[in-house]
């Protein structure tokens, strides 16, 4: 339950008044000071002072958690002036009478209520509580006399009979006093009419609409649960939900439809709560949805604090877009991806006013019927967020963003971008919205340029009414695959009075009419005066390019002007075409805005100017082939030096995602590179690829038992592995030594390559182990890990292993299914791969980039196989605990529940909030309810 902050902070002042004007009355005191003293000391005082000291009850000991001041009034000690002062300060006033003293009851209406009303504003009447003390002295109730008074004066919130002597209803009296302040009846209900006030109906209707997530006019079970959880932090048990609906069904005909609660049923329930004195339920709902005591949305709710540092802009974040998307979907009933006038009206029903005027239709994309499309709708929100973030927050508040998305405040929807200066320094930006100011002389075609961005040609633009004209246009463009918003703003052509806002933007468009000789002059002047020394990129646009171009009456031509100022040449543009105008120019503008440092390629398409001619030359076939030749010469320079005649191995590589096919390659180690070719003794043209030794992290021997592959593995620094295999153990050893020496591994300078024959030492599961092997150099056994310098990787793994062919090796690239590290012996346990190796396969053409071979069939393994027992691996290399691996749910979710948690899990949710009140209000007759909700005798209007 969340109250509005200001409400919780409120200090509640309670004034108890009783005044005796004659001695007779003095002897018959009604006992207000005794009431205060009984509350404080919890016993009836024998001796009572004329007036109790002002008492402050701290928030944590009051039922509603509000600090409460109790002020006593004594005529003997205080003047009328002091009484009036206390009345004006009070939030609630208790008028105490004595149940056995008729005169004191009469004075309530004859004296006290008029006196208080005279001193308070009619619209903000202070709530009154009638307190009948000394109930211990009579055996009848004063309620019969009091009820008509309550009906007569709406400011009387409640009445309570109590006894200071036997402490009956003392704490209840103060509870009602607090309640009268925190949950007043006045704004909600009209006792005379016996119905809710229009402002309350309006607020609850808005709440209903927001909670009706699918906008079908019914709160279904899901929506009711969401509502209950949102307002009362408590879900509804399914049975309880049914009970509630049954209760509404019994009480009215159209309160339930299609098994859901209608607006009528919803309002009926709240009327009932209020009538039965459960105002706090309605108030809880109202406050949760941002309302204050006057049923206005609070400033804190609509305008949460949001500090925007200079040079930063405001954008909607992903969550906010998702929310707005759901709002659109909910109102686009005919699913045509556009909002018809009725749909738009329905969407804004939760607003106190219509926020979008007809100009919005000329600011964003619309469909053929002129209705705002989905894209247009999001664009308009983006525009509001960018130009006026406070307004955006307000609108989001009306739509209930923070409630539906369970956010702290509307401010959670906003992203404040990085300071633009930092973006410029770093030469990169994360912004999504870029502003382009469009400047130009009168009639130069600015409006046309804006409207063309929204896909409207001249014919369509002519249909726009002058009073519906917009000076903004916003839509999306794609720059290098990223979707960005470009916001065009038409600046009034008031040369002398361009404000800072007119100048501040990410890119400038200087527009001139090429058919008007006086048009360019304005652009030139504006540029020189405002933008020449700024870092804002500028683009000159020659509009109406379908018309005859005339010479501009300016000292230099537009093209020369652009050249002189290092601007792009003027971009020709027209919106006078049958089809929608091209969007290229807007993409270019966005690109310039995003990368103000970058140089765009020539954007002119005239094919006449120098820019176009050089561009064409650069793109020409001739230049391309020269460039390619140069490139290949440089790249191959290294290889031409290699002695290609010395190739001694041929290798195969896998191709195909589902079925492994093998390609044979010949490998050659030259200097710091391992080349592979299509052919044995292949020339440069047969070169298929290479590995640089610098990329090799380790080399080790691997082997498996079934096939006699003399294999060794190269682990690259990027985590990939290649398994090569020689036709004999000797050759493998030589290759390994060569490679190890090449990567400067010390082992190759020694005779430490072991002659351990793994074929003779399979592990007890029939798998082979990885082991260095070199029977020609040194036949020591053991130390099998010494050449193994592997690291576990989550990247795809590659295998290479030997074929039985002379001087050949096979390469297989595979991706392990779960990105787990799989070793070569593992591959042996997947016969599907091995069996498909065609040892005699012919050369098959491979993709050029060997390292990006298509993925092969995923490997299905029951258990991973490691060179070293998992316990020997470093902690970081170990597999996580299986329990953590098997379940998607994190481990902590499986922890043993505490007794409290366990009991919570099995129990049904506690019945509180809406349901609680429904049960209380509707479960029995009113007398039962009065007893249930208020111990002691209380009456409500
Ligand atoms: N390609 C074109 N061919 C012929 N007429 C055109 C062309 N483009 C625009 N116009 C016309 O030129 C006139 C001026 O265009 P537009 O209103 O776009 O200019 P503007 O710069 O926005 O003017 P203002 O400064 O008065 O707002 C309009 O009447 C428009 O119909």
């Amino acid at each position: 339950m969340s109250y509005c902050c200001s409400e919780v902070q409120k200090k509640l002042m309670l004034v108890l008044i009783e005044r005796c004007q004659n001695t007779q009355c003095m002897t018959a005191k009604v006992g207000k000071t005794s009431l205060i003293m009984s509350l404080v000391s919890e016993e009836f005082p024998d001796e009572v002072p004329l007036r109790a000291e002002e008492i402050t009850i701290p928030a944590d000991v009051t039922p509603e958690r509000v600090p409460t001041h109790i002020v006593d009034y004594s005529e003997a000690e205080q003047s009328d002036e002091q009484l009036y002062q206390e009345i004006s300060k009070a939030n609630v006033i208790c008028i105490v009478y004595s149940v056995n003293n008729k005169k004191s009851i009469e004075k309530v209406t004859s004296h006290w209520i008029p006196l208080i009303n005279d001193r308070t504003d009619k619209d903000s009447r202070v709530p009154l509580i009638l307190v009948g003390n000394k109930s211990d002295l009579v055996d009848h109730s004063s309620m019969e006399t009091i009820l008509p008074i309550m009906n007569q004066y709406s400011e009387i919130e409640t009445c309570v009979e109590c006894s200071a002597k036997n402490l009956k209803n003392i704490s209840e009296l103060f509870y009602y006093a607090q309640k009268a302040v925190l949950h007043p009846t006045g704004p909600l209900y009209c006792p005379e009419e016996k119905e809710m006030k229009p402002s309350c109906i309006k607020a609850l209707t808005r709440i209903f609409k927001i909670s009706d997530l699918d906008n079908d006019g019914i709160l279904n079970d899901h929506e009711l649960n969401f509502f209950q959880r949102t307002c009362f932090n408590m879900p509804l048990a399914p049975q309880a939900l049914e009970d509630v609906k049954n209760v509404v069904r019994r009480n009215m005909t159209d309160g339930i439809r299609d098994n859901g609660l209608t607006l009528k049923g919803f309002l009926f329930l709240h009327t009932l709560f209020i009538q039965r004195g459960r105002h706090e339920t309605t108030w809880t709902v109202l406050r949760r949805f941002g309302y204050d005591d006057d049923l206005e949305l609070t400033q804190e709710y609509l305008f949460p604090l949001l500090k925007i540092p200079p040079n930063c802009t405001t954008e909607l974040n992903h969550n906010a877009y998702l929310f707005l998307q759901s709002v659109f979907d909910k109102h686009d009933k005919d699913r045509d991806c556009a909002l018809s006038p009725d749909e738009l009206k329905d969407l804004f029903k939760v607003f106190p006013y219509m926020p979008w005027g007809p100009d919005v239709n000329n600011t964003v994309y619309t469909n053929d019927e002129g209705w705002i499309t989905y894209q247009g709708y999001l664009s308009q929100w983006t525009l509001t967020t960018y130009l006026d973030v406070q307004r955006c927050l307000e609108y989001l508040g009306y739509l209930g963003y923070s409630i539906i998305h369970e956010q702290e405040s509307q401010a959670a929807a906003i992203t404040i971008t990085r300071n633009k200066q930092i973006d410029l320094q770093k030469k990169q930006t994360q912004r999504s919205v870029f502003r382009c100011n469009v400047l130009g002389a009168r009639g130069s075609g600015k409006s046309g340029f804006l409207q063309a961005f929204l896909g409207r040609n001249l014919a369509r633009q002519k249909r726009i009414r002058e009073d519906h004209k917009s000076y903004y246009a916003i839509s999306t463009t794609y720059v290098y695959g990223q979707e960005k918003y470009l916001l065009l703003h038409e600046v009034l052509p008031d040369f002398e009075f361009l404000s800072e806002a007119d100048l501040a933007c990410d890119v400038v468009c200087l527009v001139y009419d090429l058919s008007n000789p006086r048009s360019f002059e304005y652009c030139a002047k504006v540029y020189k005066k405002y933008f020449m020394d700024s870092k804002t990129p500028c683009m000159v646009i020659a509009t109406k390019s379908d018309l005859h171009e005339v010479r501009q009456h300016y000292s230099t031509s537009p093209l020369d002007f652009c050249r002189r100022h290092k601007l792009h040449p003027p971009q020709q543009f027209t919106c006078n075409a049958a089809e929608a105008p091209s969007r290229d120019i807007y993409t270019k503008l966005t690109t310039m805005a995003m990368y103000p440092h970058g140089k765009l390629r020539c954007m002119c398409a005239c094919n006449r100017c120098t820019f176009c001619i050089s561009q064409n030359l650069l793109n020409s076939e001739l230049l391309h082939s020269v460039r390619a030749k140069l490139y290949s010469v440089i790249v191959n320079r290294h290889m031409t030096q290699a002695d290609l005649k010395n190739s001694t191995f041929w290798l195969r590589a896998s191709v195909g995602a589902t079925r492994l096919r093998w390609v044979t390659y010949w490998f050659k180690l030259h200097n710091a590179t391992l080349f592979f070719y299509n052919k044995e003794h292949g020339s440069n043209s047969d070169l298929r690829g290479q590995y640089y030794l610098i990329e090799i992290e380790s080399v080790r021997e691997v082997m498996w038992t079934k096939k006699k592959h003399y294999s060794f593995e190269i682990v690259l620094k990027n985590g990939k592995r290649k398994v090569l295999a020689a036709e004999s153990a000797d050759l493998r050893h030589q290759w390994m030594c060569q490679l190890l020496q090449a990567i400067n591994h010390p082992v190759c300078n020694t005779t430490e390559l072991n002659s351990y024959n793994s074929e003779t030492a399979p592990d007890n599961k029939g798998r082979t182990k990885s082991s260095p092997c070199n029977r020609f150099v040194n036949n020591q056994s053991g130390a099998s890990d010494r050449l193994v310098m592997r690291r576990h990787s989550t990247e795809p793994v590659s295998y290479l292993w030997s074929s039985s062919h002379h001087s050949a090796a096979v390469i297989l690239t595979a991706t392990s299914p779960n990105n787990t590290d799989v070793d070569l012996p593992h591959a042996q346990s997947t016969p599907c791969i091995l069996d498909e190796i065609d040892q005699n396969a012919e050369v098959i053409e491979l993709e050029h980039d060997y390292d990006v071979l298509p993925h092969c069939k995923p490997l299905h393994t029951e258990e991973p196989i490691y060179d070293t027992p998992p316990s020997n691996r470093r902690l970081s290399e170990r597999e996580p605990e299986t329990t953590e691996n098997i379940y998607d749910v994190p481990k902590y979710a499986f922890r043993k529940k505490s007794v409290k948690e366990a009991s919570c899990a099995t129990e049904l949710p506690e019945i509180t909030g809406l349901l609680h009140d429904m049960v209380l209000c509707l479960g029995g007759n009113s007398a039962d309810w009065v007893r249930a909700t208020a111990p002691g005798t209380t009456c409500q209007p």
Side-chain angles (χ1 to χ4, degrees):
M1 183 166 79
S2 84
Y3 291 113
C4 155
C5 289
S6 61
E7 207 55 52
V8 177
Q9 301 297 319
K10 190 180 262 178
K11 280 188 181 170
L12 195 147
M13 180 172 266
L14 215 148
V15 180
L16 282 117
I17 51 174
E18 162 219 35
R19 196 181 185 203
C20 298
Q21 287 169 324
N22 53 42
T23 43
Q24 191 190 3
C25 197
M26 286 290 270
T27 53
K29 283 183 162 188
V30 296
K32 65 178 170 44
T33 310
S34 310
L35 283 173
I36 300 172
M37 301 201 59
S38 295
L39 175 80
V40 177
S41 62
E42 291 189 3
E43 59 183 14
F44 183 60
D46 292 331
E47 284 197 18
V48 194
L50 283 173
R51 175 175 170 256
E53 290 291 316
E54 183 173 323
I55 291 167
T56 300
I57 306 176
D60 52 350
V61 295
T62 63
E64 295 283 348
R65 307 214 150 265
V66 183
T68 307
H69 302 280
I70 301 174
V71 179
D72 193 8
Y73 172 73
S74 159
E75 188 209 18
E77 288 195 352
Q78 290 172 288
S79 64
D80 280 358
E81 201 44 53
Q82 283 172 309
L83 172 68
Y84 302 150
Q85 262 183 25
E86 296 296 1
I87 287 173
S88 65
K89 282 194 279 178
N91 299 110
V92 54
I93 296 172
C94 299
I95 303 176
V96 186
Y97 64 90
S98 173
V99 289
N100 63 348
N101 184 339
K102 268 201 165 167
K103 279 219 162 129
S104 70
I105 298 177
E106 280 166 23
K107 275 188 75 173
V108 169
T109 47
S110 63
H111 179 74
W112 289 118
I113 296 179
L115 183 141
I116 293 165
N117 282 350
D118 280 353
R119 265 139 200 97
T120 49
D121 211 17
K122 194 171 185 302
D123 295 330
S124 54
R125 285 266 153 86
V126 60
L128 305 176
I129 294 186
L130 302 186
V131 182
N133 192 20
K134 303 190 185 178
S135 67
D136 54 297
L137 295 182
V138 292
D139 51 9
H140 66 273
S141 166
S142 61
M143 285 306 148
E144 257 179 39
T145 329
I146 292 299
L147 276 176
I149 302 175
M150 286 184 75
N151 282 338
Q152 190 183 346
Y153 296 97
S154 59
E155 52 271 43
I156 301 175
E157 278 288 327
T158 191
C159 69
V160 55
E161 288 188 342
C162 60
S163 164
K165 189 165 184 183
N166 59 18
L167 305 182
K168 190 183 158 203
N169 278 349
I170 303 298
S171 53
E172 283 78 4
L173 150 65
F174 292 99
Y175 166 68
Y176 287 125
Q178 287 193 347
K179 223 178 104 170
V181 179
L182 298 178
H183 316 300
T185 314
L188 306 183
Y189 190 75
C190 179
E192 291 87 23
E193 308 289 328
K194 299 218 178 332
E195 59 187 32
M196 277 197 292
K197 287 191 170 166
S199 53
C200 181
I201 293 176
K202 200 171 141 202
L204 288 172
T205 305
R206 173 178 163 266
I207 291 169
F208 180 91
K209 266 195 83 65
I210 290 173
S211 308
D212 180 12
L213 302 174
D214 56 9
N215 198 28
D216 64 350
I218 292 167
L219 294 186
N220 59 30
D221 288 1
H222 165 70
E223 290 160 347
L224 265 174
N225 251 316
F226 182 78
F227 173 79
Q228 169 83 10
R229 237 187 18 249
T230 305
C231 296
F232 304 101
N233 282 334
M234 202 61 75
L236 282 170
Q239 187 50 50
L241 197 58
E242 278 315 302
D243 292 346
V244 169
K245 285 191 273 191
N246 285 336
V247 168
V248 179
R249 242 180 234 120
R250 277 201 300 274
N251 281 271
M252 64 187 314
T253 48
D254 44 2
I256 301 290
R257 186 159 32 98
D258 296 339
N259 200 30
L261 191 66
T262 63
L263 175 62
K264 248 181 143 178
F266 184 72
L267 293 176
F268 160 77
L269 280 174
H270 281 283
T271 312
L272 220 59
F273 300 151
I274 299 164
Q275 285 174 344
R276 304 295 163 93
R278 300 287 300 181
H279 310 75
E280 59 263 47
T281 305
T282 302
W283 274 116
T284 303
V285 171
L286 288 166
R287 288 191 174 121
R288 179 69 185 91
F289 279 78
Y291 289 94
D292 64 10
D293 283 356
D294 301 321
L295 297 188
E296 299 287 345
L297 290 170
T298 62
Q299 293 293 302
E300 293 96 319
Y301 175 80
L302 289 179
F303 305 104
L305 205 65
L306 192 67
K307 249 182 124 179
I308 320 287
N311 289 321
C312 298
T313 57
T314 41
E315 296 177 359
L316 288 166
N317 60 28
H318 180 64
N319 257 341
Y321 278 115
L322 284 183
F323 169 74
L324 291 169
Q325 185 184 332
S326 70
V327 171
F328 183 94
D329 289 345
K330 154 175 172 176
H331 291 92
D332 180 23
K333 293 217 163 142
D334 53 6
R335 298 271 172 269
D336 65 346
C337 272
L339 294 172
S340 69
D342 283 346
E343 288 170 342
L344 203 63
K345 223 166 125 188
D346 188 39
L347 191 151
F348 289 126
K349 263 193 186 152
V350 290
F351 282 57
Y353 55 88
M354 182 70 186
W356 293 358
D359 58 316
V360 172
N361 293 48
N362 297 319
T363 307
V364 298
Y365 252 95
T366 53
N367 66 7
D368 291 342
E369 282 159 295
W371 301 345
I372 293 166
T373 59
Y374 172 65
Q375 207 233 58
Y377 160 87
L378 290 184
S379 299
Q380 179 62 28
W381 275 99
T382 307
L383 177 82
T384 312
T385 313
Y386 187 93
L387 295 180
D388 189 351
V389 71
Q390 291 300 319
R391 193 148 286 246
C392 170
L393 293 172
E394 181 191 348
Y395 291 175
L396 285 171
Y398 294 139
L399 290 175
Y401 168 73
S402 60
I403 299 154
I404 300 296
H405 261 244
E406 299 175 46
Q407 300 288 335
E408 189 78 359
S409 79
Q410 320 307 337
I414 308 297
T415 296
I416 299 172
T417 62
R418 186 166 72 174
N419 186 321
K420 193 177 169 183
Q421 297 310 323
I422 301 176
D423 277 4
L424 290 173
Q425 268 169 24
K426 304 223 176 223
K427 298 190 177 177
Q428 59 180 17
T429 181
Q430 295 292 321
R431 292 182 189 208
S432 302
V433 188
F434 297 91
R435 178 179 174 136
C436 169
N437 283 355
V438 181
L439 296 105
R442 205 162 287 282
S444 56
K446 300 183 291 298
S447 309
F449 185 69
L450 262 70
Q451 289 303 314
F453 187 33
L454 306 175
R456 293 162 196 168
N457 61 17
L458 194 61
R460 173 124 190 238
Q461 289 173 26
K462 286 198 167 143
R463 299 207 298 266
I464 297 173
R465 279 170 50 173
E466 194 51 38
D467 55 334
H468 292 176
K469 182 179 167 170
S470 172
Y471 290 92
Y472 290 95
I474 180 165
S475 185
T476 50
T477 58
Y478 283 86
V479 176
Y480 302 127
Q482 297 175 58
E483 190 185 45
K484 300 287 174 189
Y485 279 98
L486 179 67
L487 187 171
L488 298 178
H489 170 48
E490 178 182 342
V491 178
L492 288 174
D494 235 343
F495 180 69
E496 297 302 330
F497 299 104
L498 289 182
S499 68
E500 261 190 41
D502 293 332
L503 303 170
C505 57
D506 302 302
V507 60
V508 177
C509 242
L510 298 169
V511 173
Y512 74 95
D513 173 358
L514 58 65
S515 66
N516 176 355
R518 300 239 159 256
S519 193
F520 181 70
E521 188 182 6
Y522 179 88
C523 295
K525 279 186 171 174
V526 164
Y527 178 78
K528 280 181 163 171
K529 182 163 180 189
Y530 297 108
F531 298 107
M532 200 161 77
D533 300 322
S534 85
K535 289 197 171 135
T536 316
C538 294
M539 187 190 270
V540 177
I541 293 181
T543 60
K544 310 186 191 178
S545 65
D546 55 308
L547 301 182
H548 176 66
E549 184 170 5
V550 295
R551 204 172 156 272
Q552 292 293 322
H553 289 184
Y554 188 67
S555 52
T556 45
S557 73
L559 183 60
D560 287 340
F561 182 88
C562 290
R563 267 188 209 149
R564 187 172 299 167
H565 294 283
K566 294 195 169 61
L567 296 173
H568 300 291
Q571 305 293 297
Q572 302 239 340
F573 173 85
T574 181
C575 54
N576 191 11
E579 66 283 0
S582 155
R583 292 176 64 80
D584 283 0
I585 197 137
Y586 306 103
T587 307
K588 285 168 185 169
L589 280 171
T590 318
T591 314
M592 286 170 81
M594 281 176 76
Y595 306 104
H597 302 278
K599 293 248 178 297
L600 280 183
R601 283 160 153 245
C602 176
M603 292 181 291
C604 184
C606 70
N607 277 330
R608 294 193 303 260
C609 68
T610 320
F611 286 94
C612 284
I613 292 163
S614 12
Q615 183 76 59
N616 290 344
L617 180 71
L618 281 170
N619 288 332
S620 67
E621 279 290 312
L622 176 71
L623 213 75
H624 272 292
S625 67
V626 169
R627 204 163 52 182
K629 282 256 151 54
L630 266 174
Y631 179 77
S632 72
V633 165
I634 292 164
V635 168
N636 294 334
R637 187 171 55 90
H638 185 62
M639 289 166 239
T640 47
Q641 294 161 1
D643 181 6
L644 300 177
K645 300 265 183 268
N646 287 343
S647 294
T648 50
F649 290 89
W650 60 271
L651 308 167
R652 293 174 170 189
S654 65
V655 189
T658 52
R659 191 177 141 79
L660 294 171
R661 294 156 61 213
W662 299 98
V663 177
T664 306
Y665 285 124
W666 280 260
F667 271 60
K668 176 180 171 49
L669 181 65
H670 179 78
N671 292 342
T673 315
L674 185 62
F675 299 101
F676 55 101
Y677 299 85
N678 276 339
K679 283 192 206 155
E680 198 168 10
H681 312 306
S683 65
N684 280 351
S685 58
D686 302 314
L687 184 74
R688 301 302 297 160
Q690 68 268 341
Y691 296 118
Y692 297 105
L693 294 184
I694 198 163
E695 290 167 1
I696 296 177
E697 191 173 81
S698 67
V699 181
R700 64 164 191 164
E701 180 193 314
V702 285
M703 191 176 286
W704 57 84
T705 49
K706 277 189 189 167
K707 313 252 172 181
K708 293 187 178 176
H709 298 299
Y710 297 92
S711 322
F712 57 100
E713 183 187 64
I714 300 169
V715 181
L716 301 179
K717 284 181 178 154
N718 64 7
K720 288 183 178 174
R721 286 178 238 163
K722 316 288 169 192
V723 178
L724 299 149
E727 56 146 82
S728 70
D730 296 359
L731 283 169
R732 170 172 59 189
H733 172 76
Q734 283 176 20
W735 263 104
M736 285 178 67
C737 269
Q738 289 283 335
L739 286 169
L740 285 165
Q741 269 173 0
I743 63 170
N744 283 329
H745 194 273
V747 74
C748 287
N749 301 326
T750 69
T751 54
E752 283 183 27
L753 286 171
N754 299 313
S755 64
Y756 180 75
N757 187 351
S758 55
E759 282 175 325
T760 58
D763 71 11
N764 57 3
K765 288 186 179 152
R767 303 177 307 231
T768 52
K769 288 188 265 183
S770 152
S771 60
C773 170
N774 186 342
R775 72 185 118 153
F776 304 104
V777 182
N778 188 343
N779 281 349
Q780 287 173 34
S781 62
S784 62
D785 286 339
R786 299 188 71 165
L787 276 180
V788 179
M789 296 168 287
R790 59 187 297 267
R791 66 186 171 89
H792 286 259
S793 147
T794 53
E795 289 172 41
V797 201
S798 301
Y799 301 106
L800 299 94
W801 69 89
S802 70
S803 79
S804 58
H805 284 265
H806 176 74
S807 299
V810 177
I811 307 171
L812 157 67
T813 303
T815 307
S816 84
N818 299 319
N819 280 346
T820 51
D821 194 359
V822 186
D823 269 331
L824 183 69
H826 179 187
Q828 196 204 3
S829 67
T830 55
C832 62
I833 293 174
L834 287 179
D835 291 350
E836 288 186 12
I837 301 171
D838 177 5
Q839 310 269 345
N840 299 304
E842 290 180 6
V843 174
I844 300 166
E845 278 299 310
L846 246 194
E847 297 290 322
H848 182 71
D849 186 354
Y850 175 74
D851 268 337
V852 288
L853 286 173
H855 293 170
C856 82
K857 238 188 247 179
L859 303 173
H860 300 290
T861 58
E862 280 180 21
E863 54 174 326
I865 299 162
Y866 303 97
D867 309 323
T868 47
S871 55
N872 286 1
R873 280 180 286 142
R874 284 198 307 272
L875 197 63
S876 58
E877 292 177 340
R878 282 190 204 160
E879 290 277 321
E881 295 287 323
T882 12
T883 45
E884 201 79 331
N885 244 0
I886 292 170
Y887 302 107
D888 291 333
V889 191
K891 216 176 185 178
Y892 60 79
F894 290 98
R895 75 180 193 274
K896 210 177 157 189
K897 283 195 172 79
S898 66
V899 179
K900 197 174 163 201
E901 283 171 311
S903 66
C904 285
T906 50
E907 279 171 14
L908 282 172
E910 199 188 325
I911 298 178
T912 55
L914 185 68
L915 173 66
H916 178 66
D917 284 333
M918 288 176 192
V919 172
L920 283 180
C921 292
L922 307 167
N925 61 38
S926 62
D928 284 341
W929 176 79
V930 170
R931 274 202 293 279
T933 52
T937 316
T938 62
C939 291
Q940 295 287 338

